[in-house]
Amino acid sequence: MSEAAPGLITVFGGSGFVGSQVVQDLARRGWRIRVAVRRPDRAYKLQTSGHVGQIQAVRCDAADPAQVEAALRGADAAVNLIGVLYEAGARSFQAMHVDAARNIAEAAAAAGLGRLVHISAIGANPESGSAYARTKAAGEMAVREAKPDAVIIRPSLVFGAGDGFLNRFASMATMAPVLPLIGGGSTRFQPVYVGDVAEAILHAVERPDAAGRTFELGGPAVMTMEDVLKLVLRETRRRNGLVPLPFFPARMIGSFAQLTALVGIPPFLTRDQVVSLESDNVVAQGAEGLAELGVEPTGIEAIAPSYLWRYRRGGQFSERPADTAATVQA
């Protein structure tokens, strides 16, 4: 691969929150992009991210090795962004994080691709009590076994317009008088901006020295769950209370809440997510990260106000909480 003349790259799961940003960055670099997704109709919005004919959406069920092989035919590189935050029907953690990852890595190796970038997550651990974290680790191992020179990217929680992180809490704040501090709110995160993640993935694709390495991506600040909720309330100009919720009752609530997935409604909380919150989600000491990929991290406070304003009572131009705004004088 040459940075001066990029070729064809297949992006699996490219229509999602992170994937859309990755496709935009690759398009700006001049790559021709094949977006492999189960629902191509949901990826057509990406056409405006590049020139006419530069981006093509194709149907691909990563559970089918034949479809994966077809999606990689003629490609020079690939990025695997497939992942789920909760299980629903056939979209289990095992199927999405392990089986799909293995299919893609084996097909990439068989096709002789110059570069495969696999997106995992900080906290991937085969010994974790969380099925999400265990299958993320198993997916990494499957990729390494099939294609040892693959690049593995582990982001912390990713934020940005359209995220399922800050937006979730901001939406909850508009409906509930209090927000729960699961486990007391002491779990630590290192939120990373979606634009930085996309840039890191781009560099991982193009830099020859990235081969075979693992990078953990975190932003410039480590925050507790309580810090995150206070940020959301500050930017949405709301005064909701924060109530500690121990892990045990939170797991019980998650067990019931996740039942909505059975009828196609995304759950606001699952038991497995609560278990994940029992461990910190920060870059490990000594791990390679954004700096090694040449990316300057963006702080959450520089980005969050640009999209959390929509949850304010007074809208975008509300500079003070609506209930304390000065009344109009005669």
Side-chain angles (χ1 to χ4, degrees), residues 215-268:
F215 300 91
E216 297 199 350
L217 309 186
V222 173
M223 308 173 69
T224 65
M225 174 62 80
E226 184 174 4
D227 293 332
V228 171
L229 293 185
K230 286 181 176 179
L231 169 70
V232 168
L233 293 178
R234 183 169 68 250
E235 295 301 334
T236 58
R237 316 292 195 224
R238 294 183 178 272
R239 296 180 173 179
N240 305 58
L242 298 176
V243 179
L245 179 63
F247 284 123
F248 179 71
R251 287 195 296 269
M252 295 183 64
I253 292 172
S255 295
F256 286 105
Q258 68 190 25
L259 295 177
T260 62
L262 298 177
V263 292
I265 301 175
F268 73 88

Side-chain angles (χ1 to χ4, degrees), residues 67-231:
Q67 292 188 38
V68 172
E69 179 185 359
L72 288 174
R73 196 166 296 142
D76 301 290
V79 176
N80 177 21
L81 284 150
I82 294 174
V84 291
L85 296 176
Y86 63 91
E87 297 183 298
R91 294 172 61 81
S92 67
F93 290 142
Q94 174 68 31
M96 298 292 99
H97 297 165
V98 185
D99 299 340
R102 180 182 294 109
N103 289 342
I104 292 169
E106 289 179 349
L113 259 67
R115 179 59 46 87
L116 170 64
V117 178
H118 174 76
I119 313 306
S120 182
I122 284 181
N125 181 352
E127 304 300 325
S128 174
S130 161
Y132 175 89
R134 289 197 307 273
T135 53
K136 280 292 188 180
E140 289 184 9
M141 289 187 283
V143 169
R144 281 275 185 253
E145 181 178 354
K147 191 166 173 54
D149 64 349
V151 183
I152 291 176
I153 301 287
R154 296 174 176 170
S156 183
L157 292 175
V158 183
F159 69 89
D163 66 37
F165 178 39
L166 298 185
N167 280 297
R168 175 188 299 186
F169 298 126
S171 178
M172 289 175 61
T174 67
M175 298 181 287
V178 298
L179 296 178
L181 290 172
I182 297 175
S186 61
T187 304
R188 299 187 306 150
F189 304 97
Q190 199 167 342
V192 60
Y193 177 47
V194 65
D196 295 340
V197 174
E199 185 179 355
I201 292 171
L202 172 64
H203 292 178
V205 168
E206 295 187 337
R207 284 177 46 170
D209 65 339
R213 294 159 68 182
T214 297
F215 300 91
E216 297 199 350
L217 309 186
V222 173
M223 308 173 69
T224 65
M225 174 62 80
E226 184 174 4
D227 293 332
V228 171
L229 293 185
K230 286 181 176 179
L231 169 70

